[in-house]
Amino acid sequence: MKKARRALLGRSLKPVRIACINYAEESISGRMMSRLTAALQKCYDKHFLPVWGYPVDLYVTRTPKPTDWQLVYFDDASHKNMLGRHELTHRGQPISKIFVKALGDEPVSVAASHELFEMVLDPMANLWADKNPNTQYAYEVCDAVEEDSFRVGGFEMSNFVYPSWFEPFKHPRGTKFDHKGTLREPFSMTEGGYVIKKVNGRKVIKAFGSPEKRRRFNAEDRRGHRSEFRDPQGEHHPGRRAAKRRG
């Protein structure tokens, strides 16, 4: 039993501490931040952890510890603190960012759970799954179903795919490929989803579940989003180096 539990938890039996930092004061109050963080922890422990097996400990702070990972909320990508935060903290730890004003009608809890789930599974946004010898799919667990959600603790949370989604072989009848049971095969997506693919080991492209999704995606401000770091032609935020040049 102990060996099975260790195998399930994978990375460590000790939870990764994730500092939740609110710079989006125009959009998120302190009370809301506390409620949101508690709901994210509940969702993670009840729904995500049993499937993927990496325990985390979320807490609200403005002074994270050096070893903490970070989940940071900004009003938008032009926030003054954004310039000091790239895909890693200055101490080399993973970081995910939520840009509240850019969300439109999307609940902040959906965006936050999306970023949390994907950061935990692929902290450096550099893992790929082989569909065939010529095509790889980014190891992103929410993108394919990103406009689907389920409710936890009064908050909407992002749907996510299961390990089976990344497995290109035939699965037994009844296999679940995502948490809500919407998808029917590996590497598929909903009409509101998209995927990032690498073709022939070089070209990175995005495929969309519908033309409407493509239009919505192209209208977004993608600066600072983790998906952009996978693509050499992505819309990267200037980050620390640009801030230092200006200083």
Side-chain angles (χ1 to χ4, degrees):
M1 179 66 180
K2 187 177 291 186
K3 287 184 178 179
R5 185 174 177 225
R6 187 177 295 276
L8 170 67
L9 294 178
R11 192 176 284 138
S12 172
L13 288 174
K14 185 177 180 180
V16 172
R17 285 173 57 88
I18 300 180
C20 301
I21 305 170
N22 183 24
Y23 289 122
E25 290 93 347
E26 295 179 29
S27 309
I28 304 175
S29 67
R31 183 172 180 273
M32 176 59 72
M33 183 70 178
S34 296
R35 289 183 57 225
L36 172 59
T37 303
L40 286 170
Q41 185 74 65
K42 180 178 180 180
C43 176
Y44 192 98
D45 291 345
K46 182 177 181 180
H47 298 279
F48 196 80
L49 180 61
V51 175
W52 285 102
Y54 298 127
V56 302
D57 179 17
L58 305 174
Y59 76 106
V60 179
T61 185
R62 288 299 284 265
T63 55
K65 292 179 169 52
T67 56
D68 286 348
W69 296 14
Q70 294 182 19
L71 186 66
V72 190
Y73 300 79
F74 298 97
D75 283 313
D76 52 51
S78 63
H79 193 283
K80 62 181 181 180
N81 286 297
M82 178 60 192
L83 288 174
R85 295 169 189 274
H86 213 36
E87 70 271 30
L88 293 176
T89 71
H90 67 282
R91 290 190 171 92
Q93 297 301 311
I95 183 171
S96 260
K97 301 168 286 289
I98 300 97
F99 305 102
V100 180
K101 289 184 178 179
L103 296 177
D105 295 331
E106 180 184 353
V108 65
S109 55
V110 173
S113 53
H114 181 140
E115 296 302 323
L116 171 64
F117 297 160
E118 293 192 336
M119 174 173 64
V120 170
L121 263 295
D122 184 7
M124 293 296 295
N126 63 355
L127 299 181
W128 300 82
D130 293 338
K131 181 179 182 180
N132 56 51
N134 301 315
T135 308
Q136 296 175 303
Y137 279 66
Y139 218 82
E140 304 284 351
V141 296
C142 295
D143 290 348
V145 291
E146 74 168 1
E147 292 186 6
D148 291 357
S149 64
F150 59 98
R151 200 164 183 82
V152 177
F155 291 86
E156 292 295 320
M157 300 291 175
S158 177
N159 190 16
F160 57 91
V161 300
Y162 279 20
S164 55
W165 189 88
F166 297 97
E167 299 166 348
F169 49 81
K170 185 175 179 60
H171 292 75
R173 183 188 299 273
T175 297
K176 287 186 72 172
F177 296 97
D178 67 289
H179 194 59
K180 292 187 68 177
T182 304
L183 303 178
R184 294 290 177 263
E185 60 184 1
F187 305 110
S188 60
M189 54 184 151
T190 61
E191 290 187 358
Y194 80 101
V195 295
I196 303 172
K197 299 191 290 186
K198 186 186 293 185
V199 181
N200 296 325
R202 297 187 305 276
K203 187 177 181 181
V204 177
I205 63 174
K206 298 180 180 72
F208 298 88
S210 65
E212 292 76 14
K213 175 60 180 179
R214 181 187 295 273
R215 285 193 290 271
R216 289 193 294 272
F217 185 94
N218 290 337
E220 295 178 12
D221 181 355
R222 301 298 299 177
R223 292 176 300 162
H225 284 261
R226 61 180 269 128
S227 61
E228 297 302 300
F229 292 102
R230 290 188 180 275
D231 186 354
Q233 305 302 316
E235 191 174 0
H236 298 208
H237 193 280
R240 290 191 303 275
R241 281 179 245 174
K244 287 180 180 178
R245 285 198 296 270
R246 285 199 300 273

